Amino acid sequence: MIPDYTDKIDKVESCAIYRIPSGAVPDGTSVNINISFENIDRVRNIKNINLVLVYNDTETKVYNMNKIDGKFAFSVDIAVEKGLYFYYFEVVCQDKTEYYYKSEKLPYPDNNAKKWQITVYDKNFKTPNFFKGGIIYHIFVDRFAKSKSWEPEIRKGLVIHNSTDEIPFYKPDENGKVKNEDVYGGNLAGIIEKLDYLKELNVNIIYLSPVFEANSNHKYNTADYEKIDSMFGGDDIFDKLIEEAGKRGMKIILDGVFNHTGDDSVYFNKYGKYDSIGAYQSKESKYFDWYTFRDWDAGKDDYECWWGVKSLPSIKKDQPVFRAYICGIGGIIEKWLKRGIGGYRIDVADELSNRMLKDINKAAKETSPDSIIIGEVWEDASNKISYGQRRQYLLGNQLDSVMNYPLKEAIINYLKLGNSSFMSEVMDMITRNYPKESIDCLMNIIGTHDTMRILTALGSEKFEVDKDIMAESKLSRTEREIGTERLKAAVLMQMTLPGIPCIYYGDEAGVEGYGDPFNRRFFPWDNIDGEIHDFYKKICKIRKSSKVFVDGEYRLVKECGGLFCYKRVKHGEEIYVYVNLSDTCYDVNDLIGANNGFVSLLDGAPVKEIKANGFDIFL
């Protein structure tokens, strides 16, 4: 039986490439690969075609493809096992041999040419259903909400702002260092008091920036993994947050920072603040082997640290005692999952070894099978190479999914430049390279604590490097109007494309700001932008109203110039979304190939055309 080739994955000159199934597949799947030509003369000149398949970057296999009777095409079936495959075609003609790579034909083999990819994951890989279809809200704890009934005690060495309207500290000290020592007093009790606000946004997952004890405002320099920072409320208020969130159907995700600790910590204890004997103090410390001192006798300050930041000494890769402390029986992963959290976002996942990520996953799933592990990965997570090693993030035993930075960049580029190919290319990459289980749990971001505020990114055409200018910069009235309209389109896509949208605190309130620390201002509770906030509420409500956004299929309808139109489909229900940045209108029935009475979910009006310079969601 000849397969019905309808899903073309690429075209190289006069040749089309098909694969069935077209996306990532579970191990043991039989994959059919087809190369089809447009004219018979081209086929007559071909003696044979070989599929060259490279498995896990090391093993190469060559398959002779079969001519399909009655068609200008060649086909082969291959059985695949867990791992990563790349392939290309060797076309042997009467007078020459040609090599077909992704989007290009060459007269010679080229190891550096881009190949097609097949991701093959563990057939038992499943991601937790609770999170699918949800909405995440990312809280930078010190900057979100202060409690009306609980006042934090500010740790020595930190400085509290007199007003939440003040600009975060950004100037270096006399030694050229920015200490991140300024705090506003946001805490977990404040979050508890704002849970009903989050419930109105239909949020059901709260992702907290680090909450373990640490001597900074950001807490990425962990001082003690076993304690919730007392400035945030300590263990008791944390338990209360989990309890109150649970009453509202919400789960808490923690930031897992396991690549480095703080120098001012129980483990390193550079300044001698803790009763423990830290690695910096003695070779006899039980923590000494966690870290790398280049020459202890010549000077203890010569140690490996994250990106050269001396306050963040790095943990040795695969250090067994540290790995057991985090992932072993009674370890940190287990401790907080048993406390009631829903999972972890893994900070700088690229810095952690494959083994460490597997152990984190194992500890999490054995403790709480419905927990989720999401990695911070900024590129295509299916084929990432980090420190010379091919990563295995999405093959089934490391990460459930990742932060969707490629989508974030595509949305911003599309909305600012008007080229919809940015969107279709990234969505094609994701849907073909990522397992469906991971796609449905992607953390779809448009802004984070590490990036420019989305309203500023979309409204400003300037790229500032001077922090004095950044500190005082605000969008002009025109820039804010442009940014607001672009933000609405961005949120529409963020909420309706596959994955779980993640709102960075304050984006829904219209907060502006360039990079760190200006993207970390305190939430403007007395100055929320009503237009932006109302739009977020509307789109969040629409998202939660339909199961197509849980795990429905994504299908591109039309990408042309500035138009990006797609639909989500599940069990016969179809919801269409478009953003059109062009000056061209399209008849909706001509575009979709249907003759239905479409209705906008934004305003309830009939949808008869794809409007120029507009956007909508309809069924």
Side-chain angles (χ1 to χ4, degrees), residues 249-260:
M250 300 177 182
K251 289 186 180 289
I252 306 294
I253 294 177
L254 294 187
D255 214 326
V257 186
F258 305 128
N259 170 69
H260 48 264

Side-chain angles (χ1 to χ4, degrees), residues 106-288:
L106 296 174
Y108 51 82
D110 184 354
N111 287 333
N112 295 319
K114 192 170 185 181
K115 306 173 182 68
W116 290 275
Q117 175 183 323
I118 309 175
T119 304
V120 185
Y121 56 90
D122 191 315
K123 62 185 176 183
N124 297 314
F125 179 39
K126 298 292 182 185
T127 51
N129 288 329
F130 173 85
F131 297 90
K132 298 171 185 176
I135 296 173
I136 303 172
Y137 193 87
H138 176 194
I139 295 177
F140 197 85
V141 180
D142 180 61
R143 309 292 163 84
F144 180 61
K146 299 173 73 170
S147 173
K148 296 177 182 178
S149 59
W150 185 86
E151 191 69 29
E153 180 182 338
I154 305 304
R155 184 176 294 110
K156 184 179 179 181
L158 300 181
V159 180
I160 189 162
H161 284 273
N162 294 319
S163 167
T164 56
D165 295 329
E166 291 180 354
I167 297 170
F169 291 180
Y170 66 93
K171 292 182 181 293
D173 64 13
E174 63 276 5
N175 298 315
K177 296 181 180 179
V178 177
K179 294 182 178 179
N180 295 297
E181 81 276 26
D182 63 317
V183 297
Y184 290 81
N187 52 68
L188 301 177
I191 296 174
I192 292 172
E193 292 169 13
K194 297 297 183 182
L195 288 176
D196 289 336
Y197 165 84
L198 299 179
K199 187 68 176 176
E200 287 183 358
L201 278 174
N202 277 286
V203 168
N204 66 330
I205 307 155
I206 300 173
Y207 155 43
L208 300 177
S209 61
V211 294
F212 300 136
E213 183 175 304
N215 298 297
S216 68
N217 54 38
H218 54 68
K219 311 297 181 190
Y220 281 94
N221 54 336
T222 309
D224 192 338
Y225 289 107
E226 300 185 41
K227 295 180 181 177
I228 301 298
D229 198 290
S230 60
M231 281 179 48
F232 289 165
D235 289 11
D236 290 343
I237 292 183
F238 181 71
D239 289 341
K240 184 68 172 177
L241 172 61
I242 292 175
E243 178 186 354
E244 290 299 322
K247 290 178 181 177
R248 295 163 174 81
M250 300 177 182
K251 289 186 180 289
I252 306 294
I253 294 177
L254 294 187
D255 214 326
V257 186
F258 305 128
N259 170 69
H260 48 264
T261 66
D263 62 347
D264 190 5
S265 67
V266 169
Y267 318 103
F268 203 74
N269 208 10
K270 185 173 182 176
Y271 309 105
K273 292 182 181 178
Y274 293 89
D275 292 337
S276 63
I277 299 175
Y280 187 84
Q281 296 165 303
S282 172
K283 289 183 179 180
E284 303 305 314
S285 169
K286 64 181 179 180
Y287 307 116
F288 182 81

Side-chain angles (χ1 to χ4, degrees), residues 134-137 442-445 494-495 499-503 543:
I135 296 173
I136 303 172
Y137 193 87
L442 280 167
M443 185 185 281
N444 285 346
I445 53 175
Q494 179 194 25
M495 293 284 169
I500 312 169
C502 179
I503 303 169
R543 173 177 174 79

Side-chain angles (χ1 to χ4, degrees), residues 47 88 118 125 200 289 300 337 402 422 429 444 541:
K47 294 173 64 177
Y88 63 96
I118 309 175
F125 179 39
E200 287 183 358
D289 288 338
K300 294 188 291 185
L337 283 168
V402 292
F422 289 124
M429 177 272 288
N444 285 346
K541 184 177 181 181

Side-chain angles (χ1 to χ4, degrees), residues 207 220 306-307 345-351 375-386 393 399 401-410 412 426 429-430 434 442-443 445 447-452 519-520:
Y207 155 43
Y220 281 94
W306 184 71
W307 283 41
R345 174 265 192 187
I346 304 300
D347 186 54
V348 292
D350 293 344
E351 308 281 344
E376 180 194 10
V377 181
W378 288 55
E379 301 84 9
D380 181 346
S382 71
N383 57 31
K384 178 75 183 286
I385 295 176
S386 177
Y393 297 135
L399 303 174
S401 199
V402 292
M403 299 177 75
N404 201 350
Y405 275 98
L407 180 64
K408 169 189 171 294
E409 294 304 313
I412 293 172
V426 166
M429 177 272 288
I430 290 170
Y434 288 22
L442 280 167
M443 185 185 281
I445 53 175
T448 75
H449 66 291
D450 288 323
T451 64
M452 190 185 305
N519 57 354
R520 303 177 183 181

Side-chain angles (χ1 to χ4, degrees), residues 448-464:
T448 75
H449 66 291
D450 288 323
T451 64
M452 190 185 305
R453 281 283 179 178
I454 184 61
L455 187 58
T456 300
L458 293 175
S460 176
E461 299 301 329
K462 300 187 293 290
F463 179 76
E464 294 292 354

